[in-house]
């Protein structure tokens, strides 16, 4: 039977590419989204991928959302924690709300989704988590103490949960994208973005499908021996 995946923030940007790539591998995909119903429904009509609305920063909403996906599509085998937001600003200008929203969504969402799905995977002896981190969680970024902390937290979360999942056939990995051609990156002021792109050895922004390719590998049956790792896909911008 086909594996079932949830991709959070799965209807646009990197998440859309991941949903489509998993679908192309024969996986039954549930694309979670938090915002625009019209756009999510258009995505569903276009792709045939089922969409489910909830806010990943809410623990209760994740528990209820996963239960609904399981009722419609069956037990969850794969979780791609992709949902993420930015509220950029230097520390002096950043409000507590900007801090909390980013931590609760980007990092809290990973915890909430794992709590909702890990026990079932353990019981069935198969699971795949792919958590979307960031180059800015590895290297830091001016104006992003919230985002860098959340993404860096994702990398630690990944390594800890990988140790807990290993004996149950559950792998937990992270991907650390660099600057990818999405709405999120397009929101960076153009003069700032130009300077960032100038520092990418490959000389361009990444494409969402280049991240999705990494996700399908990590979610595959052949990926069983890869766990606790971080795959950097960043055009050479940060190497370590
Ligand atoms: N290092 C050192 N100094 C810097 C700097 C840097 N990287 N960037 C800016 N500064 C300096 C500026 O030169 C300026 O100094 P002066 O006043 O002496 O000229 C000072 O800091 C203030 O800079 P700004 O005018 O840019 O300040 P601002 O408050 O208007 O904007 C900001 C700050 C919102 C953080 C803006 O710089 C910005 O948007 N930066 C981009 C942040 C970024 O890369 N976000 C990534 C979003 S996409 C993403 O996160 C996806 C992913 O995973 C990769």
């Amino acid at each position: 039977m086909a594996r079932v995946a949830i991709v959070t923030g799965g209807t646009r940007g990197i998440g859309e590419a991941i949903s489509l790539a998993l679908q192309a591998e024969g996986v039954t995909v549930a694309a979670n989204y938090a915002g625009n119903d019209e756009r999510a429904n258009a995505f569903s009509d276009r792709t045939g991928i089922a969409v489910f609305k909830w806010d990943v920063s809410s623990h209760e909403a994740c528990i209820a959302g996963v239960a609904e996906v399981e009722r419609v599509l069956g037990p969850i085998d794969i979780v791609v924690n992709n949902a993420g937001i930015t509220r950029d600003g230097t520390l002096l200008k950043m409000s507590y709300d900007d801090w909390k929203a980013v931590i609760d969504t980007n990092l809290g969402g990973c915890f909430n989704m794992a709590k909702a799905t890990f026990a079932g995977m353990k019981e069935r002896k198969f699971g795949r988590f792919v958590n979307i981190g960031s180059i800015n969680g590895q290297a830091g970024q001016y104006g992003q103490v919230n985002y860098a902390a959340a993404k860096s937290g994702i990398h630690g979360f990944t390594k800890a949960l990988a140790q807990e999942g290993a004996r149950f056939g559950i792998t937990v990995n992270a991907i650390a994208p660099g600057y990818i051609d999405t709405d999120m990156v397009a929101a960076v002021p153009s003069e700032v973005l130009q300077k960032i792109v100038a520092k990418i050895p490959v000389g361009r922004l990444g494409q969402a499908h280049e991240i999705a390719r990494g996700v399908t590998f990590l979610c595959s049956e052949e990926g069983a021996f890869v766990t606790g790792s971080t795959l950097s896909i960043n055009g050479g911008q940060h190497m370590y």
Side-chain angles (χ1 to χ4, degrees):
M1 220 174 65
R3 299 284 186 196
V4 176
I6 297 180
V7 182
T8 67
T11 63
R12 64 198 191 95
I14 292 175
E16 173 175 6
I18 294 169
S19 294
L20 291 170
L22 286 171
Q23 183 191 47
E25 296 288 319
V27 173
T28 303
V29 178
N32 151 271
Y33 71 103
N36 189 323
D37 296 313
E38 213 173 299
R39 199 160 45 191
N41 289 330
F43 165 83
S44 186
D45 291 345
R46 194 170 71 244
T47 61
I49 292 174
V51 292
F52 296 84
K53 184 176 187 174
W54 75 85
D55 174 358
V56 296
S57 74
S58 161
H59 189 72
E60 296 71 29
C62 286
I63 302 292
V66 167
E68 176 63 5
V69 172
E70 293 198 319
R71 192 184 64 74
V72 177
L73 300 178
I76 308 303
D77 304 298
I78 298 167
V79 173
V80 183
N81 282 311
N82 165 74
I85 58 171
T86 52
R87 297 273 190 279
D88 291 356
T90 53
L91 177 77
L92 294 176
K93 291 182 189 164
M94 189 179 290
S95 68
Y96 178 69
D97 286 349
D98 289 340
W99 164 263
K100 192 165 162 40
V102 169
I103 297 289
D104 288 354
T105 301
N106 299 15
L107 181 57
C110 293
F111 175 80
N112 295 335
M113 289 301 297
K115 283 293 282 185
T117 55
F118 190 90
M121 293 178 184
K122 175 186 168 189
E123 212 168 278
R124 295 184 297 278
K125 304 234 172 314
F126 180 91
R128 297 280 184 269
F129 287 94
V130 180
N131 303 318
I132 304 300
S134 168
I135 186 174
N136 294 347
Q138 298 171 309
Q141 170 61 38
Y142 186 99
Q144 282 201 313
V145 293
N146 51 2
Y147 187 89
K151 293 295 189 178
S152 186
I154 285 177
H155 295 302
F157 176 89
T158 297
K159 290 181 230 182
L161 192 61
Q163 293 178 33
E164 296 184 22
R167 65 201 168 103
F168 307 123
I170 301 170
T171 68
V172 188
N173 292 288
I175 290 185
Y179 281 73
I180 307 301
D181 190 7
T182 60
D183 291 348
M184 184 185 273
V185 166
V188 174
S190 63
E191 66 285 3
V192 176
L193 190 56
Q194 270 172 21
K195 285 186 196 153
I196 291 171
V197 174
K199 290 188 187 142
I200 303 175
V202 164
R204 63 170 174 86
L205 294 175
Q207 295 298 316
H209 68 82
E210 294 175 301
I211 304 302
R213 189 74 186 91
V215 174
T216 55
F217 165 64
L218 293 170
C219 292
S220 67
E221 310 290 324
E222 294 80 1
F225 203 57
V226 184
T227 196
S229 73
T230 297
L231 176 58
S232 296
I233 306 180
N234 63 28
Q237 191 183 347
H238 181 68
M239 305 177 189
Y240 81 108

